Amino acid sequence: MMDGDNCLDEPPQMLPPPPGTFVDREELIQHAGDFAVTQGYVVTIKQSKKDKFVILGCDRGGVYRNRRKPADDSSGEQHNRKRKTASRLTNCPFEAIGKKDDGLWILTIKNGTHNHEPLKDISEHPSARRFNETEVLLIKEMTEAGLKPRQILKRLRQSNPELMSTPKHVYNVKAKIRQGNVTVKNFKSLRAQTSAMINNDHAVTEPSWRQRNPPRVPNLIGGRFVDSQSFSSIDVINPATQLVVSQVPFTTNEEFRAAVFAAKRAFPLWRSTSIASRRRIMFKFQELIRRDIDKLAMTITTEHGKPLKDAYDDVWRGLEVVEHTCGLASTQIGEFAPNVSKGIDSYSIREPLGVCAGICSSEFPAMIPLWMFTFAVTCGNTFVLKPSEKDPGASVILAELAMEAGLPNGVLNIVHGTNDILNSICDHEDIKAITFSGPEAAGAYIYTRASASRKRAQCNTGVKNHAVVMPDANMDATLNAVVAAGFGAAGQKCMALSMAIFVGGLSRWESKLVESAKTIKVNSGKEPNAELGPVISKQMRERICKSIQASVECGARLVLDGRDIVVPGYEQGNFIGPTILCDVRVDMDCCKDESFGPVLLCMQVECLEEAINIINRNQYPKSTFFLLPFIFWRSRICLARFFT
C-alpha cells in the first residue's frame, strides 16, 4: 500500500479518452473533449476531413515541465536568465485519431502522453477566453457600427459577466474580420462548460432535432440525443386535431448498432456499480418524474388522445414501479443451502445479463417504458428501448429525466422505427433479453424470432376482459364500474372491460346501462370536462367501426351507436362515442378477437357456471399484464465440496 500523503503529492495523471465507436463525428469529438476536461487538459481539432477522419491534439495551456534550460557546467557560466514562456516543448505529443468505417466513427489513441502538467482550473486555459460563434458575429456588427474593442467587450459582458476575454482578443477577431473570414471554426476549441458559458444566452444553441418544425424525435445513443441520419420518418399525429406533433425517424442500421454498442460498452462499469448507488439514482428519478408529471401527462394526451386524468394515471402507475425498484436490493440476494449432499454446500448468485431491450405498445406511453427499463437497469443491466412510433414523446422525456437523475451514459438508449428495427432487436447477438407488450400476433412473432436467437423473451399479449354481473348486484355501483371500465381511455388499454355477461337476463340492465353511457362527456383530452377522448389513429377508428358493423350483420343488436359522434371544435378528430352491442354470441368475431375501443359487448346467460365456462373457453381467458425483474437476471449456481 502506498502512503496516502505521497499519493496526494503526485500530480494527477492525464489519461487519454477511452477508445470506442460512435454514431457520428460530433459524438466522437464531444466524447474526447468531455473526458479531456475531467483530466485537466483541452483537446482541439488539429486536422479534419469531415467525412473521413479527424485528428485531435492537446491544446496545451498547462504548466510545462522543464521550462528552464539546465546550466552548462562545462562553460562555467550560470544561466540564470529565464527563457520565455512556452519557448520549449510547445507541441504536446498527445494525439487521438477518429476514422469513419462502415458508417461508424472509431476513436483510437496514437499517443496518450503529455509534456506538461494538468490544469487545476480548466477556466484558466487560453481556450476559455475564446469567443463563440454568436459573439464573433456580434463583434463584427459592433465593429461596423464604429465601436472600439473596450466598448465591444463591455457590451459582451452584459450578457456574459464572466467572459474572460481581453481587448487583445477582440483585436485578433477584428483582424480576422478584416481578412473576410468570420467562420467560427477559426475560433472554436473544445472547452469546459464553465458557468460563463452556461449563463450566456447567446452561446446556448438548441439541438438540431428541436430546431425542426415539426420537431424530429431523437435517438438516445451513448448519453446523447442525436438526430437520426435517416431520410424516412413517421408523423406523430394529435388524434383530436390531426395536426403533426413531431416526426419519428426510421433509425438506420448503423445507428442501431451504435446504440447497442454504447449499451455494451457501458455494461461492465454499470454492473460493478453498487446496488446502493443504482437505487439512489432511482430515488432521484422518481423525484424528477413527480416534478415534471404535468409535462408528461400533457405529452401523453397530445400524442395518444386519452384525457388528462387518464394520462396522469398512466404516469402514476409507472411511478409506482420506480418506487418499487428503490427497494429492489433485497430481491437481488442469492441463496445458500448448506449440506445439500454429503460434504456439499450450494449457493446461487444473481447476475445481470448484459444488454436488454424493450419494445413498447402505444396504450401506456409512460407506464410501459417505466415497467421495462427501470427494472433492467436497477438489476445492473443496460437497456435499448424502442417506444411506440405513435406516441414516443413520453419515453424521450423519461430518458431525459433518467439522465438528469444520474444514469450514466450508455446505460439507457432509445431507437425508433417499425418492423426493421424490431427484427434487428430480435437478431442482434449482443442483446440478451427482450420484453414486449402489445398485440397477440406481434408478441408471437417477437417471441419466436427472439427465441430462435437464443434470447430470453417475455411477451405480454392477449387482451379480453370479462365481467360477470349477478342478478342481485347493486344497480348503481355495478353501472358505474362497468361504464368506467368499458369506456375509460376510449377502451385503448389492456385492462379495459370489453364484455359484460349478465346472469339471469339483460332486460332490467339495458336501459340503465345505455342511459349511464350517454352521460359520458366526449371531447379532446385536454378539455377539463373530457371523460372520453379520441382513439389514437384514423386506422384504429376505421378498424373499430368495421368491427361494429360486422357484429351487427352477424345478429348483434346495436343499442347505442357512437360512430357518428361530432365534437364541436374537433370535427377532424378520431372520435368514437360509447357503443353498446347486446345479444352477442360466443361464435361472433367480436367475442373472439382482441378489442381496443369504447365498445362494450353484452351477453346474457342463465347461470354462473355458464358464464364461467364462456370465459374459460375464450382464447384470452383473462388479462395477465405484469412484469417481473427475473428476466433480467442470470442465476449462477455453484457447488462447493468441502473435504475433511
Side-chain angles (χ1 to χ4, degrees):
M1 293 291 291
M2 297 180 63
D3 183 70
D5 295 334
N6 294 335
C7 293
L8 294 175
D9 293 337
E10 293 181 0
Q13 291 182 334
M14 289 187 287
L15 300 175
T21 305
F22 304 89
V23 68
D24 55 28
R25 174 180 180 272
E26 286 68 26
E27 182 185 8
L28 180 145
I29 295 172
Q30 188 69 37
H31 165 76
D34 291 346
F35 186 86
V37 166
T38 66
Q39 300 295 308
Y41 64 96
V42 175
V43 300
T44 187
I45 299 173
K46 292 175 61 176
Q47 186 179 357
S48 176
K49 288 187 178 179
K50 191 166 186 178
D51 296 330
K52 294 182 179 179
F53 67 87
V54 58
I55 300 178
L56 303 173
C58 176
D59 202 16
R60 303 187 301 279
V63 180
Y64 289 94
R65 303 186 183 115
N66 305 323
R67 288 173 59 181
R68 291 179 183 232
K69 185 177 180 180
D72 188 357
D73 297 334
S74 61
S75 64
E77 297 179 2
Q78 296 294 327
H79 296 271
N80 295 324
R81 183 166 58 96
K82 293 183 179 179
R83 298 180 63 88
K84 292 182 179 180
T85 302
S87 61
R88 302 180 72 248
L89 303 172
T90 56
N91 293 322
C92 179
F94 171 87
E95 194 166 81
I97 300 175
K99 289 185 178 180
K100 190 174 184 181
D101 184 19
D102 194 22
L104 296 176
W105 283 81
I106 301 174
L107 175 67
T108 57
I109 307 301
K110 183 177 180 181
N111 190 338
T113 60
H114 300 262
N115 58 8
H116 56 88
E117 305 296 340
L119 282 171
K120 295 182 179 179
D121 184 0
I122 203 71
S123 64
E124 296 177 0
H125 193 278
S127 67
R129 299 177 180 271
R130 299 181 182 180
F131 300 104
N132 58 53
E133 183 177 10
T134 304
E135 290 169 339
V136 170
L137 297 177
L138 290 174
I139 291 172
K140 182 177 184 294
E141 294 176 1
M142 288 187 280
T143 299
E144 294 173 350
L147 273 67
K148 302 297 182 183
R150 291 188 181 276
Q151 295 172 314
I152 293 173
L153 201 59
K154 183 177 180 180
R155 294 200 177 188
L156 291 176
R157 283 178 176 154
Q158 290 178 356
S159 59
N160 183 5
E162 299 184 22
L163 183 66
M164 292 182 288
S165 299
T166 65
K168 178 181 178 181
H169 298 103
V170 179
Y171 276 113
N172 293 338
V173 174
K174 291 178 67 175
K176 294 287 185 180
I177 292 173
R178 284 194 298 270
Q179 297 171 7
N181 193 346
V182 294
T183 55
V184 71
K185 67 182 181 181
N186 293 297
F187 311 96
K188 181 179 179 182
S189 178
L190 294 172
R191 51 183 170 175
Q193 292 290 331
T194 62
S195 58
M197 294 178 62
I198 295 173
N199 293 332
N200 185 5
D201 294 335
H202 296 290
V204 177
T205 58
E206 289 286 336
S208 60
W209 57 274
R210 288 193 188 275
Q211 295 176 8
R212 296 182 181 232
N213 188 20
R216 188 173 164 96
V217 182
N219 292 319
L220 174 60
I221 302 175
R224 290 183 62 238
F225 288 97
V226 293
D227 190 6
S228 174
Q229 300 301 308
S230 172
F231 295 103
S232 303
S233 60
I234 306 172
D235 290 338
V236 178
I237 306 294
N238 184 329
T241 63
Q242 302 306 309
L243 297 177
V244 178
V245 178
S246 59
Q247 292 181 325
V248 179
F250 289 93
T251 300
T252 65
N253 290 331
E254 292 79 9
E255 291 164 347
F256 171 73
R257 293 203 309 270
V260 177
F261 178 85
K264 183 179 179 181
R265 182 177 59 188
F267 174 64
L269 183 60
W270 180 242
R271 73 173 297 179
S272 63
T273 303
S274 68
I275 296 176
S277 298
R278 299 200 294 258
R279 184 176 57 183
R280 195 174 299 117
I281 292 174
M282 289 297 110
F283 273 115
K284 180 64 175 178
F285 185 37
Q286 64 166 306
E287 292 177 8
L288 297 177
I289 292 175
R290 285 192 174 90
R291 184 196 70 187
D292 288 356
I293 191 170
D294 294 336
K295 180 180 178 182
L296 281 162
M298 185 60 70
T299 299
I300 292 170
T301 296
T302 301
E303 296 180 349
H304 183 277
K306 63 175 66 177
L308 277 173
K309 178 183 179 300
D310 291 329
Y312 277 101
D313 290 341
D314 187 338
V315 182
W316 281 115
R317 293 294 179 266
L319 186 59
E320 291 174 351
V321 178
V322 182
E323 292 171 345
H324 179 65
T325 62
C326 294
L328 204 60
S330 60
T331 62
Q332 300 186 48
I333 299 173
E335 298 176 349
F336 178 78
N339 204 30
V340 293
S341 185
K342 185 177 181 180
I344 295 178
D345 293 346
S346 172
Y347 63 96
S348 64
I349 301 171
R350 283 177 172 162
E351 297 178 332
L353 294 174
V355 182
C356 301
I359 302 171
C360 304
S361 61
S362 62
E363 53 188 303
F364 291 102
M367 184 183 74
I368 291 177
L370 289 174
W371 281 12
M372 292 179 175
F373 77 80
T374 54
F375 269 126
V377 301
T378 306
C379 292
N381 302 278
T382 54
F383 206 80
V384 178
L385 180 71
K386 194 208 86 66
S388 169
E389 65 276 9
K390 296 177 182 178
D391 46 16
S395 294
V396 174
I397 295 174
L398 290 171
E400 290 177 324
L401 298 182
M403 299 288 289
E404 184 180 347
L407 203 65
N409 294 346
V411 174
L412 174 62
N413 303 271
I414 294 179
V415 294
H416 302 283
T418 53
N419 295 337
D420 289 341
I421 202 72
L422 187 148
N423 291 335
S424 298
I425 291 174
C426 292
D427 296 341
H428 201 290
E429 60 182 7
D430 288 332
I431 295 178
K432 305 303 181 183
I434 296 175
T435 179
F436 166 78
S437 68
E440 174 78 10
Y445 176 81
I446 291 171
Y447 186 86
T448 302
R449 186 154 185 161
S451 299
S453 300
R454 307 181 74 85
K455 291 178 172 58
R456 292 191 181 193
Q458 179 189 58
C459 297
N460 298 292
T461 63
V463 179
K464 198 71 173 179
N465 296 307
H466 302 74
V468 177
V469 181
M470 300 300 291
D472 59 345
N474 180 277
M475 178 72 74
D476 293 336
T478 301
L479 291 175
N480 290 337
V482 169
V483 169
F487 305 118
Q492 300 177 101
K493 56 183 180 179
C494 58
M495 289 87 78
L497 177 64
S498 58
M499 179 178 290
I501 303 175
F502 294 84
V503 177
L506 178 61
S507 56
R508 79 184 192 93
W509 294 93
E510 184 177 310
S511 61
K512 294 288 186 180
L513 184 61
V514 172
E515 182 181 340
S516 180
K518 285 182 177 180
T519 63
I520 295 177
K521 297 179 177 62
V522 183
N523 211 325
S524 166
K526 294 182 179 180
E527 300 297 330
N529 63 341
E531 296 176 306
L532 193 154
V535 296
I536 195 168
S537 65
K538 283 188 175 296
Q539 293 78 10
M540 177 62 75
R541 186 182 187 281
E542 292 172 0
R543 175 184 169 187
I544 295 170
C545 291
K546 288 181 181 179
S547 176
I548 294 172
Q549 184 60 36
S551 300
V552 172
E553 292 173 358
C554 289
R557 185 162 48 90
L558 186 62
V559 297
L560 181 60
D561 189 357
R563 290 176 291 179
D564 297 327
I565 190 170
V566 177
V567 178
Y570 301 96
E571 289 78 9
Q572 302 300 317
N574 308 324
F575 292 97
I576 296 181
T579 300
I580 300 177
L581 288 165
C582 292
D583 298 337
V584 298
R585 303 186 308 273
V586 292
D587 60 335
M588 294 181 178
D589 289 340
C590 61
C591 293
K592 300 177 183 178
D593 299 336
E594 293 178 276
S595 299
F596 283 98
V599 180
L600 181 64
L601 309 177
C602 297
M603 180 186 298
Q604 53 186 351
V605 295
E606 295 297 328
C607 61
L608 177 61
E609 288 74 14
E610 185 180 355
I612 294 174
N613 289 332
I614 290 173
I615 296 173
N616 289 337
R617 287 198 302 268
N618 193 279
Q619 64 173 331
Y620 308 118
K622 55 187 177 299
S623 174
T624 54
F625 199 94
F626 55 87
L627 186 68
L628 294 176
F630 300 105
I631 188 177
F632 303 124
W633 282 328
R634 177 193 297 110
S635 291
R636 184 158 57 100
I637 301 176
C638 306
L639 295 176
R641 181 179 292 274
F642 299 95
F643 297 96
T644 58

